Amino acid sequence: MIREEFALSEWHGPFDAATQARALAALEKGQVLYFPGLAFPLGENEREFLDPALTDGKAKNISLNHTTGKLQGTSAAGEKAERLAAMIERFGAGATRLVEDLLPGYAGLERARTSYRPVEVEDRPYSVIQDDRLLHIDAFPSRPMQAGRRILRFFSNVAPSGSRCWEVGEPFEDFARRFAPRVKPHLPGQSWLFARLGVTRGQRSAYDETMLSLHDAAKRDSRYQKNAPHTALDFPPGSSWLVYTDQVLHAALKGEFALEQTFHLDIAKMAEPQRAPIKVLERLTGRRLA
Ligand SMILES: [Fe+2]
């Protein structure tokens, strides 16, 4: 089963120990935790945000940095921008509370950016590397995860109608075994330079380079995209889901109006750190990657 379902409708605990254990095991195994009844309600005065023209036309998403309060990627200004930021913040705080209550072992995880994705995925033009309609694992050129920090993401479909349609691929280890021979060698000098120049926030490790290589190699391989195992997952309006996007091969094919909260987590906080991509890759390649 790729999707593990939870019958929650509240954005907080308490949750019983069996539910918490089931969530933790499924998530770390590379399943998508699915909350079909966990809707993020929009207020009356927030319905106007169901509008693709809310982006600035350049960025894919509108994003909020919750530590600085800075909102990026939107055409909204003034009072409207403030209300939009408040909605995104309410979602981010709710998602954080839910994750901490459901996965108490992850307490203190880093809350990174919160995003709002009002544009229909299907209609946008993309370069191959930017095209998230192709199966990929998340790896971000400017944000190194260094010693294997995890990328965990919580999504809610807030569209009035229409599912968000994903496909998920084969298990990470199968994928990594297939593509590992094509990984480009790590150039420590280049990583140092990128960090010095501010191209990256901190220095990329061999792990970061490997993950970027895997991300690009998968997207560029049209035969793999066509023939690799795919499972379709639809997330209807009013549903939410949580997934390790650095581990689960995923493609977002269709949908508009989703909210998303990214978390970063040290692998030491995992119940089974050996399932982390860095550990799998180190085992497969016989090399230390950080
Ligand atoms: Fe992704």
Side-chain angles (χ1 to χ4, degrees):
M1 283 295 278
I2 281 171
R3 189 154 79 172
E4 181 75 10
E5 200 169 310
F6 293 81
L8 314 180
S9 51
E10 303 280 348
W11 288 77
H12 55 80
F15 301 116
D16 60 63
T19 302
Q20 290 171 333
R22 180 162 71 93
L24 183 63
L27 190 66
E28 294 193 359
K29 231 191 280 170
Q31 291 175 298
V32 177
L33 304 195
Y34 177 44
F35 311 104
L38 189 64
F40 181 73
L42 301 191
E44 254 331 295
N45 68 344
E46 290 170 337
R47 307 225 162 252
E48 66 170 305
F49 299 142
L50 297 170
D51 176 6
L54 212 52
T55 63
D56 63 8
K58 284 175 269 167
K60 268 197 284 197
N61 306 321
I62 297 167
S63 72
L64 176 73
N65 178 329
H66 92 105
T67 18
T68 61
K70 198 172 166 214
L71 190 65
Q72 278 181 314
T74 181
S75 59
E79 179 269 346
K80 187 174 175 184
E82 275 170 35
R83 280 189 297 112
L84 174 61
M87 177 186 85
I88 299 173
E89 170 56 30
R90 191 172 82 250
F91 169 79
T96 305
R97 169 93 192 267
L98 180 82
V99 167
E100 290 193 329
D101 284 358
L102 189 59
L103 305 160
Y106 288 4
L109 83 177
E110 180 200 339
R111 181 181 159 192
R113 260 165 213 278
T114 319
S115 70
Y116 179 43
R117 304 163 176 225
V119 180
E120 170 56 54
V121 170
E122 206 176 15
D123 302 339
R124 283 183 52 103
Y126 309 89
S127 70
V128 170
I129 293 304
Q130 300 257 310
D131 191 349
D132 291 339
R133 295 171 303 179
L134 299 170
L135 279 175
H136 66 283
I137 42 143
D138 285 349
F140 303 113
S142 63
R143 279 163 203 280
M145 292 293 124
Q146 295 173 339
R149 267 169 91 71
R150 305 301 312 274
I151 303 171
L152 179 63
R153 294 184 134 175
F154 187 95
F155 298 85
S156 286
N157 182 354
V158 296
S161 67
S163 286
R164 199 155 185 92
C165 303
W166 274 29
E167 280 179 346
V168 295
E170 63 189 333
F172 181 80
E173 183 156 348
D174 297 347
F175 161 69
R177 190 171 284 125
R178 199 191 295 263
F179 281 95
R182 287 187 241 172
V183 166
K184 285 184 265 165
H186 173 53
L187 305 169
Q190 179 185 290
S191 301
W192 176 84
L193 188 65
F194 281 175
R196 278 295 296 261
L197 295 174
V199 175
T200 57
R201 289 166 42 130
Q203 200 165 323
R204 283 186 199 158
S205 64
Y207 169 69
D208 290 303
E209 298 287 356
T210 304
M211 292 294 274
L212 287 166
S213 265
L214 290 173
H215 169 274
D216 293 1
K219 281 187 173 173
R220 287 201 175 105
D221 187 335
S222 52
R223 268 223 327 251
Y224 180 75
Q225 292 294 335
K226 199 161 157 241
N227 302 324
H230 289 72
T231 306
L233 290 183
D234 283 6
F235 302 101
S239 70
S240 299
W241 60 107
L242 177 67
V243 55
Y244 271 124
T245 53
D246 55 357
Q247 173 180 3
V248 176
L249 275 154
H250 60 285
L253 302 185
K254 197 174 181 325
E256 54 182 349
F257 309 126
L259 282 155
E260 174 272 338
Q261 174 64 54
T262 300
F263 301 98
H264 296 150
L265 183 85
D266 283 334
I267 63 171
K269 280 196 190 282
M270 294 177 65
E272 300 181 274
Q274 72 277 12
R275 291 188 183 275
I278 190 169
K279 295 293 177 193
V280 173
L281 291 167
E282 287 184 338
R283 190 154 41 73
L284 289 178
T285 60
R287 289 194 298 130
R288 281 195 60 112
L289 296 175

